[in-house]
Amino acid sequence: NAGVTQTPKFQVLKTGQSMTLQCAQDMNHNSMYWYRQDPGMGLRLIYYSASEGTTDKGEVPNGYNVSRLNKREFSLRLESAAPSQTSVYFCASSGSGRAGEQYFGPGTRLTVT
Amino acid sequence: QKEVEQDPGPLSVPEGAIVSLNCTYSNSAFQYFMWYRQYSRKGPELLMYTYSSGNKEDGRFTAQVDKSSKYISLFIRDSQPSDSATYLCAMSARSGAGSYQLTFGKGTKLSVIP
């Protein structure tokens, strides 16, 4: 039982390049989330998916797109990376257990130069 | 005013000390309160979960919720160097949509000195 996995662990992009961050969970959870974490800003929700087939914007969605590929997988895409998107990105999932309880992946450290 | 306020610290204490970490919030709809622990370069992991006002104890950790004051606390007794981490408070309101969005504090960085 791996929990929530994320790939890649590290990535360096040039401004304007695109990339997709991958997330998968093996806990049969319905809901999945993408956050970014910046120094002094805490964790901020980018997008979430309440269930397979649905996605919604969070607090900071601009510059990102998401795809809920199936129940297990939720990807985050940067179409044209900007230095302001330099951050640590976390994926999380939650199921039918305690309300609000989320399980986090190990994160992807992204640097945009 | 931010929905959730948390002093970022850093907080440095000697081994064996009692640590008190706190968050205040403004949204009276919050009903579920959590504390996450995040070690350096790792993902947050759930440490404590509370639903109602009052205290909840788990080993050396006690979570306290005071809804009337919109104030939550985490106490760590007999602190250990392994407790050195960033502690994030998080809270959520009831949702009918099946998923619960968490609002996080900015986190308090704790160092326990041997």
Side-chain angles (χ1 to χ4, degrees):
Chain A
N1 189 337
V4 179
T5 57
Q6 293 183 237
T7 55
K9 287 187 168 52
F10 303 94
Q11 184 71 47
V12 179
L13 291 178
K14 293 188 185 328
T15 298
Q17 287 184 320
S18 62
M19 78 162 295
T20 299
L21 283 66
Q22 306 285 356
C23 173
Q25 52 89 11
D26 62 2
M27 295 175 281
N28 200 35
H29 285 169
N30 286 323
S31 301
M32 298 184 73
Y33 312 81
W34 275 107
Y35 293 90
R36 61 178 288 173
Q37 187 175 40
D38 303 291
M41 300 295 291
L43 279 161
R44 292 182 292 170
L45 183 65
I46 304 171
Y47 270 93
Y48 68 100
S49 171
S51 60
E52 188 178 353
T54 69
T55 60
D56 282 291
K57 295 178 181 180
E59 181 185 354
V60 288
N62 291 346
Y64 305 95
N65 285 300
V66 291
S67 296
R68 183 74 183 266
L69 305 170
N70 47 55
K71 192 172 185 178
R72 289 187 65 247
E73 298 172 289
F74 189 36
S75 63
L76 179 72
R77 182 158 178 85
L78 286 71
E79 290 290 353
S80 178
S84 61
Q85 294 178 305
T86 293
S87 188
V88 182
Y89 291 85
F90 290 101
C91 178
S93 69
S94 65
S96 56
R98 295 180 294 189
E101 182 176 10
Q102 295 182 13
Y103 294 84
F104 284 80
T108 294
R109 292 185 170 272
L110 175 67
T111 301
V112 183
T113 61
Chain B
Q1 182 190 7
K2 289 281 188 184
E3 275 196 300
V4 179
E5 300 277 3
Q6 183 178 9
D7 186 339
L11 182 62
S12 184
V13 302
E15 183 175 352
I18 296 174
V19 175
S20 173
L21 304 168
N22 311 292
C23 288
T24 59
Y25 63 95
S26 57
N27 187 347
S28 57
F30 287 145
Q31 295 193 7
Y32 310 100
F33 304 91
M34 285 144 271
W35 287 94
Y36 282 82
R37 178 173 62 194
Q38 185 176 22
Y39 290 115
S40 181
R41 295 183 170 264
K42 301 290 187 184
E45 57 177 341
L46 184 66
L47 186 62
M48 297 290 284
Y49 180 99
T50 53
Y51 169 63
S52 58
S53 283
N55 293 354
K56 181 177 180 180
E57 192 172 316
D58 184 358
R60 296 184 295 110
F61 299 90
T62 299
Q64 192 173 75
V65 175
D66 183 348
K67 286 186 179 179
S68 62
S69 301
K70 297 190 179 67
Y71 188 88
I72 70 170
S73 301
L74 177 70
F75 298 96
I76 307 174
R77 290 184 300 281
D78 187 24
S79 56
Q80 302 294 309
S82 59
D83 295 328
S84 298
T86 297
Y87 290 80
L88 303 157
C89 63
M91 42 200 83
S92 177
R94 183 183 294 277
S95 167
S99 72
Y100 295 80
Q101 292 188 43
L102 290 180
T103 301
F104 284 87
K106 293 183 179 180
T108 301
K109 187 171 183 179
L110 171 68
S111 295
V112 181
I113 311 302

